Amino acid sequence: MAELVLMAETLNSEQVEAGAPDASLRVIARARAGDQAAFDQLMILHQRRVVALAWRMLGTHEDARDAAQEAFLRVYKHLPKYDPAQDFNGWLYRIVVNVCRDLQRKRGRHSGASFEEELEAGKLVEPASPANSEADVLLAQERALLQRALAILSEKERQAVVLRDLEGLPTEEVARLLGSTPTTVRSQISMARVKLKAFREKWLKGKGATARKVRPQ
Amino acid sequence: MNCTRVEMLLPLYVGGDLAVAETEQVRAHLVACTNCQAQAAALAESQTWLQQAPLPEFSEDFFADLRADVWRELEQTETQPHWYDRWLPIWDWRWAGAAALAMVLLALAWNWFRLPGGNPPQEIANQPTPVPALRVPEKTPDATAAHAQPERKPIHRTTRPNYLRRTVVQQDVALTKPPTLPSNRETLSPVSGGANTDTLAATPEMTRIEFQTADPNIRIIWFAPKVETHSQSKEESNSR
């Protein structure tokens, strides 16, 4: 197994990804035929996107990892049934979204609770150390802010806004992925955008107030 | 389009989710309304901020562990036997066929015992049934059976008026075996040990009276002591 992983890692994934869609299709075709090295290559190609989507949907590192693992297992299981004429990314998105929804249902978490839990547990902001530059700290704060912003949304609003605004999928595709209608998705997106705007304005106000407090000292 | 309506549509306008006609209407309103312009700008900034917010860092080790876990899980799944392999290691189509045949035979046996033609259990067969008899009286009187119910008293014998007596006798002749009996009367007939009303009807002392109601399924049957008519009593006295 270790040999297999090493062999797959030696393949230049960036070449496959950036080079041509034909190369990606070849990898998919080989993986469908049962080539394990090709499947590992497929995971390398899509792992960042899958984990990022799962993190945005679920809000924690642990959940994102569990969801990504389950998603790749389902991809492996259903790959022989995958129609090559279909868009692979869309097919993969559908699997990841379904896994995330299953995971949320299974864990029975209230919407936004996972984000809040991670914030309270202090996992979100990377621990400050003398080695961390000011830029790193700012970056960590930005991430924390994004996580907190997504936490104020309901589960459905978050799913809709993540797929539409962050993943850039069309509304109809989002509706199909979420098992909903375009009208409902538009309503959820609209509500989510208003909430996010209010959150950002509040944060900016708070930031301004803190800056005014700090300046006289 | 007024400001309230535009404010409702602005979140969708900034994301390009409106139809062409509505987009044009909102754009035309924004040219003239500075307040709505500010709202639209704030929404657009918020959306840009959201899209540009950095994702958390995931190290290469994180991804390597993830892939290793996937392969480990796949190996376990492939080597793990199915549940029926564990529970039925000697699984064979012959066993499946035998089990199916046994189930079919069991179902047939169960069905046969439940059918009306099947032998009922002995305990039930010996118990007297309280259901009254509805069988049509036969014309052959049985004297011994008639004496089986000696205690039965005549009902309203003394209070019955004369005009009814005549009617009773006529009905005794006319309706002893009516042509339109319910077809399911056989199913209503008593089993052995039930009340023996046939014998009552067969005796010379008793009269069977039947009234057919408007409902063809409902018939009133009444057993009463036979009343002597005037002509009959006269014949008897002459014979003496």
Side-chain angles (χ1 to χ4, degrees):
Chain A
M1 184 57 60
E3 283 174 20
L4 187 74
V5 174
L6 279 172
M7 192 172 69
E9 281 179 349
T10 52
L11 294 171
N12 191 344
S13 63
E14 284 185 7
Q15 271 182 0
V16 174
E17 196 168 15
D22 290 349
S24 181
L25 288 176
R26 272 202 299 275
V27 172
I28 294 166
R30 274 169 44 216
R32 280 186 73 217
D35 186 343
Q36 294 194 333
F39 183 72
D40 203 79
Q41 183 67 17
L42 202 65
M43 281 201 287
I44 292 168
L45 279 174
H46 296 280
Q47 61 192 9
R48 285 186 188 280
R49 199 178 299 160
V50 168
V51 170
L53 176 59
W55 181 83
R56 281 164 167 167
M57 298 279 267
L58 300 167
T60 68
H61 278 65
E62 287 79 13
D63 285 352
R65 186 191 159 125
D66 289 351
Q69 186 179 331
E70 179 60 28
F72 282 129
L73 287 170
R74 286 193 196 179
V75 168
Y76 186 85
K77 189 180 169 188
H78 298 292
L79 200 56
K81 286 185 266 181
Y82 162 70
D83 178 12
Q86 208 180 343
D87 175 33
F88 183 77
N89 287 330
W91 186 71
L92 184 63
Y93 266 128
R94 197 166 298 133
I95 290 177
V96 178
V97 168
N98 285 338
V99 167
C100 289
R101 292 172 77 188
D102 289 350
L103 212 64
Q104 275 173 334
R105 216 173 297 141
K106 200 169 149 188
R107 303 201 172 167
R109 280 182 177 164
H110 187 262
S111 59
S114 53
F115 287 96
E116 294 297 336
E117 280 168 15
E118 192 144 305
L119 281 169
E120 283 169 17
K123 288 178 187 172
L124 186 63
V125 182
E126 289 163 16
S129 71
N132 282 4
S133 66
E134 196 179 337
D136 290 341
V137 173
L138 281 173
L139 207 63
Q141 281 177 352
E142 283 284 315
R143 284 181 197 131
L145 202 62
L146 171 66
Q147 208 162 14
R148 181 165 280 191
L150 291 173
I152 64 166
L153 305 177
S154 74
E155 190 185 312
K156 287 187 184 298
E157 286 168 356
R158 188 166 68 238
Q159 287 172 353
V161 90
V162 163
L163 292 172
R164 177 73 186 97
D165 287 350
L166 300 180
E167 301 295 334
L169 299 178
T171 310
E172 286 73 19
E173 178 67 14
V174 175
R176 200 160 46 243
L177 285 173
L178 298 178
S180 184
T181 61
T183 311
T184 309
V185 168
R186 273 193 202 97
S187 165
Q188 287 163 348
I189 289 170
S190 175
M191 191 67 78
R193 284 175 187 161
V194 171
K195 282 184 185 176
L196 289 170
K197 173 182 158 278
F199 172 82
R200 185 169 174 271
E201 282 172 352
K202 199 176 161 187
W203 172 70
L204 285 173
K205 267 185 197 169
K207 199 179 168 186
T210 313
R212 277 196 298 276
K213 274 182 193 172
V214 171
R215 211 171 289 144
Q217 292 173 351
Chain B
M1 198 175 267
N2 58 16
C3 288
T4 314
R5 175 77 181 142
V6 170
E7 276 176 20
M8 279 174 64
L9 295 175
L10 275 179
L12 295 174
Y13 171 79
V14 296
D17 295 307
L18 283 181
V20 180
E22 280 181 322
T23 307
E24 288 303 319
Q25 284 176 340
V26 173
R27 193 173 288 154
H29 178 87
L30 287 178
V31 171
C33 182
T34 50
N35 186 35
C36 289
Q37 274 179 21
Q39 292 283 332
L43 275 165
E45 276 173 28
S46 159
Q47 206 181 4
T48 309
W49 163 78
L50 185 74
Q51 286 166 345
Q52 289 177 351
L55 276 169
E57 288 289 325
F58 294 100
S59 64
E60 283 302 318
D61 290 343
F62 174 90
F63 291 117
D65 287 348
L66 170 68
R67 291 198 306 276
D69 283 348
V70 170
W71 284 117
R72 200 173 300 121
E73 194 75 25
L74 285 172
E75 263 184 4
Q76 278 179 4
T77 314
E78 282 171 3
T79 54
Q80 203 173 16
H82 290 290
W83 63 270
Y84 52 78
D85 289 336
R86 283 201 302 273
W87 290 99
L88 289 171
I90 51 165
W91 177 258
D92 195 337
W93 285 112
R94 283 173 296 181
W95 285 105
L101 190 66
M103 286 184 74
V104 168
L105 288 174
L106 207 66
L108 284 173
W110 172 258
N111 203 27
W112 184 79
F113 270 105
R114 286 173 60 110
L115 282 172
N119 293 330
Q122 198 62 29
E123 298 82 22
I124 297 171
N126 291 337
Q127 284 175 5
T129 309
V131 180
L134 294 174
R135 194 178 292 169
V136 179
E138 294 172 9
K139 287 295 176 184
T140 52
D142 188 355
T144 53
H147 292 294
Q149 305 268 345
E151 302 86 27
R152 201 173 182 100
K153 292 178 181 176
I155 305 163
H156 303 302
R157 186 178 182 180
T158 53
T159 57
R160 187 176 297 138
N162 285 334
Y163 69 87
L164 191 61
R165 287 183 185 179
R166 186 172 291 173
T167 311
V168 165
V169 172
Q170 284 170 355
Q171 283 187 351
D172 188 26
V173 177
L175 297 173
T176 305
K177 202 159 189 177
T180 55
L181 279 172
S183 60
N184 60 344
R185 70 181 192 276
E186 286 301 317
T187 59
L188 297 172
S189 60
V191 294
S192 60
N196 200 348
T197 50
D198 287 351
T199 55
L200 284 173
T203 56
E205 293 86 9
M206 300 300 287
T207 303
R208 179 190 172 99
I209 307 160
E210 292 188 12
F211 295 98
Q212 180 63 53
T213 61
D215 187 343
N217 294 320
I218 300 174
R219 175 174 296 145
I220 299 165
I221 301 170
W222 186 9
F223 292 99
K226 195 165 270 182
V227 182
E228 287 184 2
T229 58
H230 186 67
S231 59
Q232 279 175 343
S233 58
K234 207 172 184 179
E235 279 175 14
E236 280 179 9
S237 60
N238 288 340
S239 65
R240 280 175 202 159

Short mmCIF file of all heavy atoms in Angstrom, two decimals, chain A residues 149-176:
data_model
loop_
_atom_site.label_atom_id
_atom_site.label_comp_id
_atom_site.label_asym_id
_atom_site.label_seq_id
_atom_site.Cartn_x
_atom_site.Cartn_y
_atom_site.Cartn_z
N ALA A 149 -18.74 34.29 10.40
CA ALA A 149 -19.79 34.79 9.50
C ALA A 149 -20.67 33.64 9.00
O ALA A 149 -21.89 33.75 8.99
CB ALA A 149 -19.16 35.51 8.31
N LEU A 150 -20.03 32.54 8.64
CA LEU A 150 -20.82 31.39 8.18
C LEU A 150 -21.63 30.79 9.32
O LEU A 150 -22.67 30.17 9.09
CB LEU A 150 -19.90 30.33 7.56
CG LEU A 150 -19.24 30.72 6.23
CD1 LEU A 150 -18.22 29.67 5.81
CD2 LEU A 150 -20.28 30.90 5.13
N ALA A 151 -21.13 30.99 10.54
CA ALA A 151 -21.82 30.41 11.69
C ALA A 151 -23.15 31.08 11.98
O ALA A 151 -24.02 30.48 12.60
CB ALA A 151 -20.92 30.49 12.93
N ILE A 152 -23.31 32.31 11.53
CA ILE A 152 -24.59 33.00 11.83
C ILE A 152 -25.70 32.54 10.89
O ILE A 152 -26.86 32.81 11.14
CB ILE A 152 -24.44 34.54 11.75
CG1 ILE A 152 -24.10 34.96 10.32
CG2 ILE A 152 -23.44 35.06 12.77
CD1 ILE A 152 -24.27 36.43 10.06
N LEU A 153 -25.34 31.83 9.85
CA LEU A 153 -26.36 31.39 8.89
C LEU A 153 -26.97 30.07 9.33
O LEU A 153 -26.33 29.27 10.02
CB LEU A 153 -25.72 31.21 7.51
CG LEU A 153 -24.98 32.41 6.92
CD1 LEU A 153 -24.37 32.04 5.58
CD2 LEU A 153 -25.91 33.60 6.76
N SER A 154 -28.19 29.86 8.85
CA SER A 154 -28.81 28.55 9.10
C SER A 154 -28.14 27.52 8.18
O SER A 154 -27.42 27.88 7.24
CB SER A 154 -30.31 28.61 8.82
OG SER A 154 -30.52 28.66 7.43
N GLU A 155 -28.40 26.27 8.47
CA GLU A 155 -27.74 25.19 7.71
C GLU A 155 -28.03 25.31 6.20
O GLU A 155 -27.12 25.22 5.37
CB GLU A 155 -28.24 23.86 8.24
CG GLU A 155 -27.49 22.67 7.72
CD GLU A 155 -28.12 21.37 8.19
OE1 GLU A 155 -28.40 21.25 9.39
OE2 GLU A 155 -28.34 20.50 7.35
N LYS A 156 -29.28 25.54 5.88
CA LYS A 156 -29.67 25.60 4.46
C LYS A 156 -29.12 26.86 3.80
O LYS A 156 -28.69 26.82 2.64
CB LYS A 156 -31.20 25.55 4.34
CG LYS A 156 -31.74 24.17 4.63
CD LYS A 156 -33.21 24.09 4.35
CE LYS A 156 -33.79 22.75 4.72
NZ LYS A 156 -33.21 21.64 3.98
N GLU A 157 -29.14 27.96 4.53
CA GLU A 157 -28.59 29.20 3.98
C GLU A 157 -27.09 29.04 3.72
O GLU A 157 -26.57 29.49 2.70
CB GLU A 157 -28.82 30.35 4.95
CG GLU A 157 -30.26 30.84 4.99
CD GLU A 157 -30.54 31.78 6.15
OE1 GLU A 157 -29.62 31.99 6.98
OE2 GLU A 157 -31.66 32.26 6.25
N ARG A 158 -26.41 28.40 4.67
CA ARG A 158 -24.96 28.21 4.52
C ARG A 158 -24.66 27.33 3.31
O ARG A 158 -23.78 27.65 2.50
CB ARG A 158 -24.38 27.60 5.79
CG ARG A 158 -22.86 27.57 5.76
CD ARG A 158 -22.25 27.30 7.11
NE ARG A 158 -22.52 25.96 7.57
CZ ARG A 158 -23.14 25.65 8.69
NH1 ARG A 158 -23.58 26.59 9.48
NH2 ARG A 158 -23.32 24.40 9.04
N GLN A 159 -25.40 26.24 3.18
CA GLN A 159 -25.17 25.35 2.03
C GLN A 159 -25.39 26.10 0.72
O GLN A 159 -24.58 25.99 -0.21
CB GLN A 159 -26.13 24.16 2.11
CG GLN A 159 -25.74 23.16 3.19
CD GLN A 159 -26.79 22.09 3.39
OE1 GLN A 159 -27.88 22.15 2.82
NE2 GLN A 159 -26.48 21.11 4.21
N ALA A 160 -26.46 26.87 0.68
CA ALA A 160 -26.78 27.59 -0.57
C ALA A 160 -25.72 28.63 -0.88
O ALA A 160 -25.25 28.73 -2.03
CB ALA A 160 -28.15 28.25 -0.44
N VAL A 161 -25.32 29.40 0.12
CA VAL A 161 -24.37 30.48 -0.14
C VAL A 161 -22.96 29.93 -0.42
O VAL A 161 -22.22 30.50 -1.23
CB VAL A 161 -24.39 31.51 1.03
CG1 VAL A 161 -23.42 31.18 2.13
CG2 VAL A 161 -24.14 32.91 0.51
N VAL A 162 -22.62 28.83 0.21
CA VAL A 162 -21.31 28.21 -0.06
C VAL A 162 -21.24 27.74 -1.50
O VAL A 162 -20.27 28.01 -2.22
CB VAL A 162 -21.03 27.05 0.93
CG1 VAL A 162 -19.91 26.15 0.43
CG2 VAL A 162 -20.67 27.57 2.29
N LEU A 163 -22.29 27.06 -1.94
CA LEU A 163 -22.27 26.52 -3.30
C LEU A 163 -22.40 27.62 -4.36
O LEU A 163 -21.77 27.56 -5.40
CB LEU A 163 -23.39 25.49 -3.47
CG LEU A 163 -23.21 24.20 -2.67
CD1 LEU A 163 -24.47 23.34 -2.75
CD2 LEU A 163 -22.03 23.39 -3.19
N ARG A 164 -23.21 28.63 -4.05
CA ARG A 164 -23.45 29.68 -5.06
C ARG A 164 -22.32 30.72 -5.07
O ARG A 164 -21.76 31.02 -6.12
CB ARG A 164 -24.80 30.37 -4.76
CG ARG A 164 -25.15 31.52 -5.69
CD ARG A 164 -25.55 31.01 -7.05
NE ARG A 164 -25.76 32.12 -7.98
CZ ARG A 164 -24.84 32.55 -8.85
NH1 ARG A 164 -23.67 31.97 -8.92
NH2 ARG A 164 -25.10 33.56 -9.67
N ASP A 165 -22.00 31.27 -3.89
CA ASP A 165 -21.05 32.40 -3.85
C ASP A 165 -19.60 31.96 -3.72
O ASP A 165 -18.71 32.63 -4.24
CB ASP A 165 -21.40 33.33 -2.68
CG ASP A 165 -22.65 34.14 -2.97
OD1 ASP A 165 -23.11 34.11 -4.13
OD2 ASP A 165 -23.19 34.78 -2.05
N LEU A 166 -19.36 30.88 -2.99
CA LEU A 166 -17.96 30.48 -2.78
C LEU A 166 -17.50 29.45 -3.81
O LEU A 166 -16.36 29.48 -4.23
CB LEU A 166 -17.77 29.93 -1.36
CG LEU A 166 -18.09 30.94 -0.24
CD1 LEU A 166 -17.89 30.33 1.12
CD2 LEU A 166 -17.23 32.19 -0.38
N GLU A 167 -18.39 28.56 -4.20
CA GLU A 167 -18.00 27.58 -5.22
C GLU A 167 -18.38 28.05 -6.63
O GLU A 167 -17.94 27.46 -7.61
CB GLU A 167 -18.65 26.22 -4.94
CG GLU A 167 -18.30 25.62 -3.58
CD GLU A 167 -16.82 25.25 -3.44
OE1 GLU A 167 -16.18 24.98 -4.47
OE2 GLU A 167 -16.31 25.26 -2.31
N GLY A 168 -19.24 29.07 -6.69
CA GLY A 168 -19.57 29.66 -7.98
C GLY A 168 -20.46 28.82 -8.88
O GLY A 168 -20.43 28.98 -10.10
N LEU A 169 -21.27 27.96 -8.27
CA LEU A 169 -22.17 27.13 -9.10
C LEU A 169 -23.42 27.93 -9.47
O LEU A 169 -23.86 28.78 -8.71
CB LEU A 169 -22.58 25.87 -8.33
CG LEU A 169 -21.46 24.92 -7.91
CD1 LEU A 169 -22.05 23.76 -7.12
CD2 LEU A 169 -20.71 24.39 -9.12
N PRO A 170 -24.02 27.64 -10.62
CA PRO A 170 -25.28 28.32 -10.98
C PRO A 170 -26.41 27.92 -10.02
O PRO A 170 -26.37 26.84 -9.42
CB PRO A 170 -25.58 27.81 -12.39
CG PRO A 170 -24.44 26.99 -12.82
CD PRO A 170 -23.58 26.71 -11.66
N THR A 171 -27.38 28.82 -9.93
CA THR A 171 -28.48 28.59 -8.97
C THR A 171 -29.21 27.28 -9.24
O THR A 171 -29.57 26.56 -8.30
CB THR A 171 -29.49 29.76 -9.06
OG1 THR A 171 -28.76 30.98 -8.97
CG2 THR A 171 -30.50 29.71 -7.95
N GLU A 172 -29.41 26.96 -10.50
CA GLU A 172 -30.13 25.73 -10.86
C GLU A 172 -29.34 24.50 -10.39
O GLU A 172 -29.93 23.53 -9.89
CB GLU A 172 -30.36 25.66 -12.37
CG GLU A 172 -31.44 26.59 -12.89
CD GLU A 172 -31.01 28.06 -12.90
OE1 GLU A 172 -29.78 28.31 -12.86
OE2 GLU A 172 -31.89 28.93 -12.92
N GLU A 173 -28.04 24.56 -10.54
CA GLU A 173 -27.19 23.44 -10.12
C GLU A 173 -27.21 23.31 -8.59
O GLU A 173 -27.27 22.20 -8.05
CB GLU A 173 -25.75 23.67 -10.63
CG GLU A 173 -24.75 22.62 -10.22
CD GLU A 173 -25.01 21.26 -10.86
OE1 GLU A 173 -25.80 21.18 -11.81
OE2 GLU A 173 -24.43 20.27 -10.37
N VAL A 174 -27.19 24.47 -7.92
CA VAL A 174 -27.26 24.46 -6.45
C VAL A 174 -28.57 23.82 -6.00
O VAL A 174 -28.60 22.99 -5.09
CB VAL A 174 -27.13 25.90 -5.88
CG1 VAL A 174 -27.33 25.91 -4.37
CG2 VAL A 174 -25.79 26.50 -6.24
N ALA A 175 -29.64 24.21 -6.66
CA ALA A 175 -30.95 23.66 -6.31
C ALA A 175 -30.97 22.15 -6.52
O ALA A 175 -31.51 21.40 -5.70
CB ALA A 175 -32.04 24.32 -7.16
N ARG A 176 -30.36 21.70 -7.62
CA ARG A 176 -30.33 20.26 -7.90
C ARG A 176 -29.51 19.53 -6.85
O ARG A 176 -29.89 18.47 -6.36
CB ARG A 176 -29.76 20.04 -9.29
CG ARG A 176 -30.11 18.70 -9.86
CD ARG A 176 -29.99 18.56 -11.36
NE ARG A 176 -28.77 19.09 -11.90
CZ ARG A 176 -28.73 20.11 -12.76
NH1 ARG A 176 -29.85 20.69 -13.13
NH2 ARG A 176 -27.59 20.56 -13.24
#
